[in-house]
Amino acid sequence: MAKKDDPADRIIDTALKLATEKRWRDISLAEIAAAAKMPISKVYPLFSSKRAILGAFMRRIDAAVLAAQGKEALEGSARDRLFDVLMRRFDALAPHKEAVRHILYDLGRDPLMGACAIPQFRRSMACMLEAADLAADGLRGAVRVKVLGALYLATVRVWLRDDTEDLSHTMAALDRHLRRVEWLAQRFSQSREGRARPTAPA
C-alpha cells in the first residue's frame, strides 16, 4: 500500500487519478504537480517525465505482487505458478483499472510513447517469471519474457472488459493462453528431441 506521506507515491496516485479523467497524452507534468499540490521544482527531481511516473507505477505493482506472494512457495506446474502470479497482478491493478484503460489506449496509439514503456514492461514480465520460479535471464529467459508479455497483454484486453466479481472471464482467458503456450512448448521440445535422436544404423 502506498504511503500517504511519501511524495513519490502522492505524485503517482495523482497522475493515475488524472488519467481517469482525461487522456494520458494530454496530461502535463506541471498539471500533475499542481493536482498533487506540489511545486514542479519538487516533482521534477523525483520524476522528470510521465514515462518515469508510469515506470514507478509498474514497479509498485511488481512489488505488490511479490508482497502478496509472501513467504509461501508456489506449487504446481509452471503454468499453475504463472497463473497465480498473474492473477495477483490483476488484483493489484484492480483499484486503478480505469486509469490503466486510458493509459493503454494512448500507448497503443502513440508508437513513440508505447516504445518508451517497453523496457519497464519487460522488466515487469521478468519479475513475474522470477516470482513464478522461472528464470528470466539468458536467451531462454529473453524468449520467456517476450512470450509472457504477449500472453499478458492478450489477457489484459479481456480484463479491461471483465465486470464479473470473481474475474471469471479473465481467469478463463489467462488459463486458455497459458495452456496454449504450454502445448506449444511441449511440441517444440518433442520436435527438438526428435531431431537430436541418433539414427539407427542400417
Side-chain angles (χ1 to χ4, degrees):
M1 182 179 293
K3 297 179 181 179
K4 292 183 179 180
D5 59 347
D6 187 322
D9 283 327
R10 193 199 312 178
I11 294 165
I12 296 169
D13 291 336
T14 300
L16 292 172
K17 183 177 183 301
L18 288 173
T20 67
E21 302 168 355
K22 59 190 300 185
R23 298 187 66 169
W24 178 248
R25 73 179 187 183
D26 294 335
I27 300 170
S28 68
L29 200 62
E31 185 177 2
I32 295 171
K37 295 181 171 55
M38 296 175 63
I40 190 68
S41 60
K42 298 290 186 182
V43 173
Y44 193 81
L46 294 171
F47 301 109
S48 60
S49 65
K50 290 188 299 180
R51 180 181 65 182
I53 295 175
L54 186 56
F57 171 59
M58 294 172 73
R59 290 191 295 275
R60 180 200 281 183
I61 296 299
D62 296 342
V65 173
L66 297 176
Q69 180 175 327
K71 296 181 180 180
E72 296 183 7
L74 291 174
E75 298 180 352
S77 65
R79 173 171 56 82
D80 293 335
R81 300 195 303 273
L82 278 172
F83 181 90
D84 289 341
V85 167
L86 291 180
M87 285 309 302
R88 286 196 187 99
R89 189 174 188 87
F90 287 120
D91 288 341
L93 284 169
H96 314 291
K97 192 170 189 175
E98 196 60 25
V100 171
R101 186 196 314 278
H102 290 178
I103 291 169
L104 288 179
Y105 180 90
D106 272 355
L107 290 180
R109 283 156 181 76
D110 188 327
L112 181 58
M113 189 187 301
C116 290
I118 289 175
Q120 179 56 51
F121 177 70
R122 287 176 175 167
R123 284 192 288 271
S124 290
M125 291 299 98
C127 179
M128 297 303 97
L129 284 168
E130 295 291 354
D133 196 21
L134 294 168
D137 55 351
L139 179 58
R140 177 176 293 186
V143 172
R144 284 175 172 169
V145 167
K146 186 173 183 178
V147 172
L148 184 64
L151 178 157
Y152 174 73
L153 290 176
T155 309
V156 164
R157 296 188 186 96
V158 177
W159 173 71
L160 289 173
R161 301 190 304 269
D162 190 354
D163 57 1
T164 60
E165 187 174 347
D166 61 354
L167 294 181
S168 57
H169 298 327
T170 302
M171 288 192 291
L174 179 57
D175 184 65
R176 183 171 63 253
H177 293 320
L178 285 169
R179 287 182 183 277
R180 175 64 174 170
V181 170
E182 183 182 53
W183 180 81
L184 289 172
Q186 290 173 348
R187 289 292 301 270
F188 179 71
S189 178
Q190 291 170 358
S191 175
R192 290 189 62 185
E193 290 177 359
R195 291 197 301 269
R197 188 176 298 117
T199 305

